[in-house]
Amino acid sequence: MLLAALLSCFSIFSNQPAQAQTSLIQNAPARRVLSLNGSWNYIIDPYENGFYDYRREAFDKSASGKGGYYDNQKPSNSQEPELIEYDFDHSAVMQIPGDWNSQDAKLLYYEGTVWFKKDFKLKPTAGKRYFLYFGAINYEAHIYLNGKKLGMHKGGFTPVQLEITDKLSASGDNFVVVKADNTRHAEEVPTINTDWWNYGGITRDVYIAETPATFIVDYKVQLAKNDPANLAGYVQLDGAEKAGQTVTLNIAEAGLKQTLKTDADGRATFRLRAKKLKLWSPLSPKLYAVTLTNGAETVQDKIGFRTIQTQGQDILLNGKSIFLRGISIHDENPLIPGRARGEGDLRMLLTWAKELGCNYVRLAHYPHNEIMLKLADEMGLLVWAEVPVYWTIAWENPTTYQNAEQQLSDLISMGKNRASVMVWSIGNETPLGDARLKFMSRLATKARALDDTRLIAAALELHRTPDNVVHVDDPLGEYLDLASFNEYAGWYWGGKPSEITKYTFDIKYNKPVVISELGGSALAGYHGDAETRWSEEYQEALYINQIKMLSTIKGLRGLTPWILVDFRATRRQHPVYQNGFNRKGLISNTGQKKKAFYVLQEYYRQQAAKYDTGK
Ligand code: GCB
């Protein structure tokens, strides 16, 4: 606890991403005691007047630590009239989780600071610990409880967790204030340039998790690497009494029960024979109820077990060859519109993917909601999960690297018990260069060290020669398990859709080829012939010819075309065809399926008939 307290001080005074958080609580929603979702008051603060004084000194670094909006000051009844130039209680409210861009017309393009405040009642119980948990806040968040700073966090798609055990008020009346700032910076992750909307705010669930004084903070219960007969993993306790404790692992349905003893660091590793497990697969997404018990504490999870490995150019799921019928997905619900806000939105996206015939999804380009991974487990969809190391990152900046590594570690921590997750992707379309290779290969090594039971990949770029050969030879490929690349023949290059079948592929690596992107745009309801750009017929022809062209690739083991649904993108400014949306969706932003949807659906039907034998 002392260490955790010291670390959380560190985050207050440093500019680093919040290394402050103790390890993320595994399956945090299962420890939820109080949801803070709902209406939060907010104040728009482009000049950051609630954070800095007029000399641009941060209030929270002053001797008193006071003066910022986080004080949530209200007029007292003193004789002297006080000057207070903000008032949360009379400010507008917004629904959390939810981005600000789609909830207030003034904020559609806004990049800067918005302050949020929520009152809540929670009387701490003696002997318990409390953690304030945000699923995600984009991008830089400063968090205060009852006027005191808890910490700072950078990274818009990974959880923010702060211990508040000693900071809750004894009376039970509390308020939390968050300064969220989505300003883009060149040295951040992602950097200033992306092809998605920079949604700001508290975009995922907020709650308080309650735990015993010493508790199960983390665990991994998965099959050992490539070994369907053994479970391997660990349980990690946190708290003063963590050494020498007994933890029971129970998977009743499989008749497995094991008592584990923690070492001096509160960790118990195990390897357990588990011969008769029914393995998880998209055809049969079997999940087992897994229970971990330490004294009075019981943590429950639903976990599937499967192996995934490559063999030459093959991908083996549970030892059997699989073809990945995929689609790329952004964490956005165009129908609301805005960031997906909860289970219903996420289920809608994955249901569309199932309807398309998918057994696999690429969750681009950043960590998606933990709920998405759980739904994928339940619905039988394999997952490519990614960090926002996208395009031009500040490759030479050590802080940028640390930030990327932290986001990767948090993603892996959050998803490591999900059978659906088969790929950790370390980035997308990063440009060739020495500094980049060093940065990316280091990330690949880190990902492997954190979890060697998944494949490591990245979406690479290609280049062409005048003989119509497409080359994939990025040196980063050496460090990866898949030959994955984005390929836009018929849209960004290669002429009309009917011309692209002349291309052949020269792929340097003897690894499974999984095309991470392909596609072209169409405005739903706009019709023309197969050569009319933006028409549904153009996109349809593009998919037909892409499929023909790709079928010539030896070792093609799957694809995730770009993208399931049209999504908001600032760089897409054509007033007729785009109107602020990237139109490469197979489904429009009003939920209308375009012609190309059915082309891919038919291809996937054929692939399923070939590979999904049901055995
Ligand atoms: C890409 C990017 C993706 C873009 C897409 C496009 O290669 O990886 O983020 O949205 O192309 O539509 O241009």
Side-chain angles (χ1 to χ4, degrees):
M1 263 247 288
L2 181 63
L3 182 65
L6 284 173
L7 283 170
S8 72
C9 288
F10 171 71
S11 88
I12 298 174
F13 298 114
S14 94
N15 269 332
Q16 304 293 318
Q19 321 297 355
Q21 34 201 32
T22 23
S23 4
L24 286 174
I25 298 177
Q26 189 60 211
N27 196 13
R31 338 285 182 98
R32 176 186 316 226
V33 63
L34 179 69
S35 169
L36 298 185
N37 288 350
S39 301
W40 288 55
N41 294 98
Y42 68 98
I43 300 172
I44 305 168
D45 186 17
Y47 282 30
E48 300 179 289
N49 297 120
F51 192 73
Y52 294 112
D53 68 14
Y54 80 128
R55 298 290 187 221
R56 197 91 183 151
E57 301 287 344
F59 290 118
D60 66 21
K61 292 202 176 130
S62 69
S64 72
K66 288 196 168 302
Y69 287 179
Y70 52 83
D71 290 341
N72 187 25
Q73 210 189 337
K74 314 205 177 180
S76 61
N77 288 328
S78 72
Q79 300 296 338
E80 196 125 340
E82 293 155 309
L83 174 64
I84 307 171
E85 294 186 88
Y86 68 97
D87 179 352
F88 274 112
D89 292 341
H90 293 93
S91 296
V93 295
M94 170 174 310
Q95 291 309 303
I96 301 297
D99 60 90
W100 65 53
N101 314 69
S102 51
Q103 295 193 63
D104 179 342
K106 288 195 294 294
L107 297 178
L108 179 61
Y109 283 93
Y110 182 71
E111 297 189 313
T113 286
V114 176
W115 292 85
F116 295 91
K117 195 260 316 180
K118 175 97 178 157
D119 298 318
F120 64 95
K121 287 208 184 297
L122 181 65
K123 248 193 177 157
T125 305
K128 296 284 188 196
R129 290 170 70 184
Y130 296 89
F131 295 85
L132 177 59
Y133 195 97
F134 298 83
I137 307 172
N138 191 34
Y139 172 86
E140 179 175 320
H142 294 252
I143 298 149
Y144 306 81
L145 181 70
N146 300 329
K148 300 243 166 49
K149 188 155 193 174
L150 297 173
M152 186 273 280
H153 180 267
K154 285 183 177 188
F157 304 96
T158 43
V160 188
Q161 173 189 304
L162 298 146
E163 180 155 14
I164 55 170
T165 308
D166 305 325
K167 298 177 178 100
L168 286 163
S169 85
S171 72
D173 292 322
N174 301 280
F175 65 93
V176 57
V177 171
V178 175
K179 175 189 189 288
D181 181 354
N182 69 338
T183 308
R184 291 167 294 122
H185 295 286
E187 71 283 4
E188 295 298 333
V189 183
T191 181
I192 44 180
N193 194 22
T194 66
D195 187 24
W196 68 83
W197 208 261
N198 184 21
Y199 290 112
I202 306 172
T203 54
R204 295 186 188 152
D205 288 343
V206 190
Y207 50 88
I208 291 172
E210 184 190 80
T211 71
T214 294
F215 72 105
I216 298 166
V217 65
D218 193 17
Y219 54 87
K220 182 175 183 184
V221 184
Q222 290 280 281
L223 286 179
K225 186 175 164 72
N226 302 337
D227 179 357
N230 283 290
L231 292 179
Y234 63 85
V235 179
Q236 176 70 52
L237 300 188
D238 185 283
E241 313 276 310
K242 66 185 178 188
Q245 292 261 356
T246 301
V247 182
T248 309
L249 164 66
N250 192 359
I251 311 178
E253 193 188 335
L256 290 171
K257 193 164 180 173
Q258 177 98 343
T259 302
L260 314 168
K261 253 256 153 2
T262 60
D263 64 14
D265 294 324
R267 197 175 183 86
T269 52
F270 63 85
R271 198 179 166 88
L272 187 60
R273 195 125 183 90
K275 271 199 110 170
K276 285 191 207 107
L277 284 176
K278 190 165 184 301
L279 299 183
W280 183 100
S281 74
L283 276 180
S284 166
K286 168 71 190 161
L287 300 176
Y288 285 90
V290 174
T291 309
L292 292 162
T293 311
N294 168 38
E297 182 192 25
T298 297
V299 176
Q300 292 185 325
D301 206 339
K302 279 162 88 182
I303 300 184
F305 304 102
R306 54 101 197 90
T307 61
I308 191 87
Q309 66 200 106
T310 64
Q311 197 174 72
Q313 290 201 296
D314 215 355
I315 300 174
L316 305 179
L317 173 70
N318 299 327
K320 280 182 231 145
S321 185
I322 185 165
F323 187 89
L324 300 170
R325 310 186 305 269
I327 192 71
S328 298
I329 300 182
H330 261 302
D331 179 30
E332 185 177 303
N333 178 352
L335 305 181
I336 318 175
R339 282 254 172 268
R341 292 184 204 165
E343 184 171 332
D345 298 1
L346 302 173
R347 201 179 274 280
M348 176 183 82
L349 295 171
L350 293 184
T351 303
W352 274 333
K354 292 287 279 193
E355 193 184 336
L356 186 59
C358 293
N359 60 7
Y360 173 57
V361 288
R362 177 182 181 204
L363 302 182
H365 281 298
Y366 38 73
H368 284 221
N369 199 318
E370 181 172 355
I371 300 170
M372 191 68 156
L373 305 180
K374 288 191 173 168
L375 286 175
D377 265 14
E378 178 196 311
M379 295 170 74
L381 287 159
L382 287 155
V383 167
W384 159 304
E386 188 160 294
V387 285
V389 177
Y390 182 95
W391 291 353
T392 54
I393 290 285
W395 307 116
E396 316 253 9
N397 185 333
T399 313
T400 306
Y401 177 79
Q402 284 313 326
N403 184 345
E405 192 182 284
Q406 185 66 47
Q407 293 192 42
L408 178 69
S409 306
D410 287 349
L411 169 65
I412 294 177
S413 172
M414 197 167 66
K416 63 178 177 272
N417 286 308
R418 305 284 70 91
S420 53
V421 178
M422 62 166 277
V423 175
W424 300 124
S425 164
I426 56 168
N428 179 74
E429 287 187 353
T430 54
L432 301 189
D434 291 345
R436 168 272 195 174
L437 186 59
K438 208 167 137 207
F439 185 113
M440 294 301 282
S441 56
R442 207 174 147 198
L443 267 190
T445 307
K446 179 72 188 181
R448 252 183 240 293
L450 288 170
D451 182 8
D452 66 355
T453 66
R454 267 85 180 185
L455 310 181
I456 308 301
L460 304 178
E461 287 189 319
L462 44 75
H463 63 98
R464 284 167 294 133
T465 40
D467 53 355
N468 296 332
V469 178
V470 173
H471 303 270
V472 179
D473 52 11
D474 182 336
L476 179 59
E478 298 286 355
Y479 299 86
L480 308 173
D481 294 315
L482 301 176
S484 281
F485 52 91
N486 297 350
E487 175 273 295
Y488 279 97
W491 189 256
Y492 290 123
W493 54 269
K496 301 173 199 148
S498 59
E499 291 168 327
I500 64 178
T501 48
K502 65 178 181 238
Y503 289 100
T504 58
F505 287 78
D506 171 28
I507 298 166
K508 182 174 166 195
Y509 303 103
N510 181 36
K511 299 182 180 184
V513 179
V514 179
I515 313 243
S516 34
E517 287 177 34
L518 63 95
S521 296
L523 177 65
Y526 174 58
H527 295 286
D529 60 20
E531 296 187 2
T532 307
R533 224 182 245 270
W534 307 107
S535 72
E536 285 198 38
E537 286 71 16
Y538 186 103
Q539 191 191 39
E540 179 185 37
L542 190 148
Y543 270 76
I544 290 170
N545 289 301
Q546 276 280 351
I547 289 166
K548 275 190 203 143
M549 177 183 73
L550 297 178
S551 304
T552 65
I553 299 181
K554 188 176 145 295
L556 180 73
R557 302 308 307 157
L559 55 157
T560 45
W562 193 254
I563 182 169
L564 183 65
V565 196
D566 290 351
F567 60 98
R568 272 199 190 282
T570 328
R571 46 192 293 124
R572 307 298 172 178
Q573 287 299 346
H574 194 285
V576 177
Y577 304 117
Q578 295 177 310
N579 217 356
F581 280 88
N582 183 314
R583 297 283 183 205
K584 295 192 186 69
L586 295 175
I587 302 178
S588 77
N589 61 304
T590 56
Q592 192 181 332
K593 298 191 177 85
K594 305 181 195 172
K595 287 185 147 190
F597 181 95
Y598 300 101
V599 175
L600 191 61
Q601 190 184 49
E602 173 54 22
Y603 174 61
Y604 283 168
R605 200 191 54 73
Q606 290 165 14
Q607 294 303 105
K610 211 149 126 196
Y611 292 96
D612 278 0
T613 55
K615 281 173 217 138

